[in-house]
């Protein structure tokens, strides 16, 4: 009888673990970017958030889109709701956040401290040309977005900050500076084919995408920001290193390379040329953290139950 009760308890706990793991990652897509006429209209920005929610038929991510340029509204949202990942779609030449907002961001970062900085997010879904029609050439921009969010989510959550060139980085740098003082987006770049993606985090995590599709998109609107890299001390006094995920030299190439996307974790080994047309790039370098499947969890649980039964038989 007691053995049966123990097995029932173990199965119940296992099913609870599986259900928790299967729950969608919660994402807040916070859009503080002005519409710039109709170029960055809210429906275009929301399209990226909705793409996350609808990915793979739904159930992987649950993304909430909020458009607000009013200081103080972010604090209200974060004081009432918690999220695994916050995306700051932040391309403005003026401040959009107040002290309460930044304190709320710090509270989120206190338990979900992974960072991803993307100096190319603004042009991903705008009224400009065929390559800025999200999800982009061969859906590569949709895949890039999924891979970015997934890397943050499976690492325990965090913050993604996306922006554009130095006309419009004020709100992005408000957020970044609140958690990593001294770090900032900067610059205005003109991409050449002299560049590489490192590892497989961006090209071959959840979705295999071709580097050249991303490059063609960037090349069609040459205005990427330089994402910060290097060693810093965060708001809580912890050492943090920001690593480049993709480095690109300005045209015509041959000069210094600048990071377009950086992260608080080091990408895997291997490099993929920025004009490589192979989906996934270097196939030996998948995304850094595989996600345990529900099946694997169930199998592990059944093994545990078997061991417990043998111990008490």
């Amino acid at each position: 009888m007691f053995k049966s009760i123990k097995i029932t308890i173990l199965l119940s706990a296992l099913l609870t673990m599986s259900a928790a793991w299967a729950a969608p990652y919660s994402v807040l897509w916070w859009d503080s970017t002005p519409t710039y006429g109709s170029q960055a209209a809210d429906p275009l920005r929301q399209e990226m958030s909705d793409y996350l929610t609808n990915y793979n038929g739904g159930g992987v991510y649950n993304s909430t889109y909020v458009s607000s340029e009013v200081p103080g509204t972010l604090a209200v949202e974060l004081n009432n709701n918690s999220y695994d990942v916050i995306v700051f779609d932040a391309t403005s030449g003026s401040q959009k956040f107040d002290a309460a907002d930044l304190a709320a961001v710090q509270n989120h970062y206190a338990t979900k401290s992974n960072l991803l900085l993307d100096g190319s997010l603004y042009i991903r879904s705008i009224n400009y040309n065929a390559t800025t029609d999200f999800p982009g050439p061969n859906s590569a921009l949709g895949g890039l977005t999924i891979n970015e969010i997934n890397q943050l989510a499976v690492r325990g959550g965090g913050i993604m900050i996306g922006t554009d060139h130095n006309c419009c980085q004020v709100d992005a740098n408000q957020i970044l500076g609140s958690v990593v003082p001294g770090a900032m987006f900067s610059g205005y770049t003109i991409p050449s084919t002299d560049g590489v993606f490192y590892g497989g985090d961006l090209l071959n995590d959840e979705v295999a995408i071709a580097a050249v599709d991303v490059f063609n998109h960037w090349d069609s609107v040459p205005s990427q920001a330089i994402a910060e890299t290097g060693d810093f001390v965060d708001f809580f006094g912890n050492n943090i290193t920001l690593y480049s995920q993709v480095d690109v030299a300005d045209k015509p190439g041959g000069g210094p390379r600048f990071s377009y996307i950086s992260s608080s974790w080091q990408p895997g080994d291997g490099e993929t040329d920025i004009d490589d047309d192979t989906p996934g790039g270097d196939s030996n370098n998948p995304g850094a953290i595989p996600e345990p499947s529900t099946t694997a969890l169930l199998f592990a649980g059944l093994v545990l139950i078997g061991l417990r039964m043998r111990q008490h038989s």
Side-chain angles (χ1 to χ4, degrees):
M1 176 179 176
F2 290 110
K3 184 184 296 184
S4 175
I5 292 173
K6 288 181 179 180
I7 292 173
T8 301
I9 292 172
L10 284 169
L11 282 172
S12 176
L14 181 60
L15 290 172
T16 300
M17 287 172 57
S18 299
W21 193 271
Y25 292 116
S26 59
V27 179
L28 173 62
W29 191 287
W30 192 268
D31 176 15
S32 61
T33 297
T35 60
Y36 295 113
S38 62
Q39 186 177 81
D42 285 352
L44 296 176
R45 313 315 288 176
Q46 184 171 356
E47 194 173 351
M48 294 184 282
S49 174
D50 290 347
Y51 192 87
L52 291 170
T53 298
N54 297 327
Y55 170 68
N56 205 23
V60 181
Y61 311 99
N62 181 16
S63 185
T64 299
Y65 173 81
V66 178
S67 174
S68 177
E69 298 180 56
V70 180
T73 54
L74 174 63
V76 173
E77 176 67 29
L78 293 182
N79 288 338
N80 290 312
N81 301 284
S82 62
Y83 298 91
D84 296 310
V85 176
I86 304 175
V87 178
F88 287 102
D89 186 349
T91 305
S92 175
S94 61
Q95 294 188 355
K96 302 298 180 183
F97 306 103
D98 63 14
D101 294 328
L102 300 181
V105 172
Q106 291 165 349
N107 287 338
H108 174 85
Y109 176 81
T111 57
K112 299 176 176 66
S113 59
N114 297 291
L115 293 176
L116 190 142
L117 313 180
D118 189 333
S120 70
L121 182 63
Y122 172 72
I123 67 168
R124 196 166 299 178
S125 184
I126 58 174
N127 281 318
Y128 193 80
N129 63 32
T131 76
T132 65
D133 183 9
F134 190 82
N138 297 314
S139 296
L141 307 182
L144 174 61
T145 305
I146 293 293
N147 290 342
E148 289 178 322
I149 300 305
N150 196 65
Q151 280 289 313
L152 288 166
V154 299
R155 292 172 185 278
I159 297 171
M160 172 175 164
I161 308 172
T163 190
D164 197 61
H165 68 277
N166 55 6
C167 75
C168 316
Q169 300 167 351
V170 174
D171 50 345
N173 282 331
Q174 276 191 281
I175 298 297
L176 179 54
S178 73
V179 293
V180 185
M184 61 185 296
F185 289 94
S186 61
Y188 187 126
T189 64
I190 304 173
S192 71
T193 55
D194 179 7
V196 294
F197 283 86
Y198 299 108
D201 294 354
L202 302 184
L203 297 179
N204 197 27
D205 184 30
E206 273 286 297
V207 184
I209 61 174
V212 70
D213 288 330
V214 179
F215 168 74
N216 287 337
H217 162 68
W218 288 342
D219 186 44
S220 75
V221 195
S223 63
Q224 291 68 43
I226 300 171
E228 188 70 272
T229 56
D231 297 325
F232 297 89
V233 177
D234 70 12
F235 173 78
F236 296 102
N238 301 314
N239 293 326
I240 179 173
T241 300
L242 298 173
Y243 301 91
S244 181
Q245 289 275 350
V246 52
D247 280 335
V248 187
D250 279 353
K251 286 183 177 178
R257 290 177 173 179
F258 304 106
S259 176
Y260 286 10
I261 302 174
S262 63
S263 64
S264 58
W265 63 90
Q266 189 168 7
D269 296 332
E271 298 180 359
T272 299
D273 290 338
I274 200 167
D275 57 353
D276 190 299
D277 63 0
T278 306
D282 184 346
S283 60
N284 294 319
N285 290 284
I289 298 183
E291 180 178 353
S293 66
T294 300
T295 302
L297 286 172
L298 286 170
F299 178 76
L302 291 172
V303 170
L304 177 61
I305 290 171
L307 291 173
R308 291 290 180 87
M309 290 178 66
R310 290 187 64 182
Q311 289 173 357
H312 294 282
S313 61

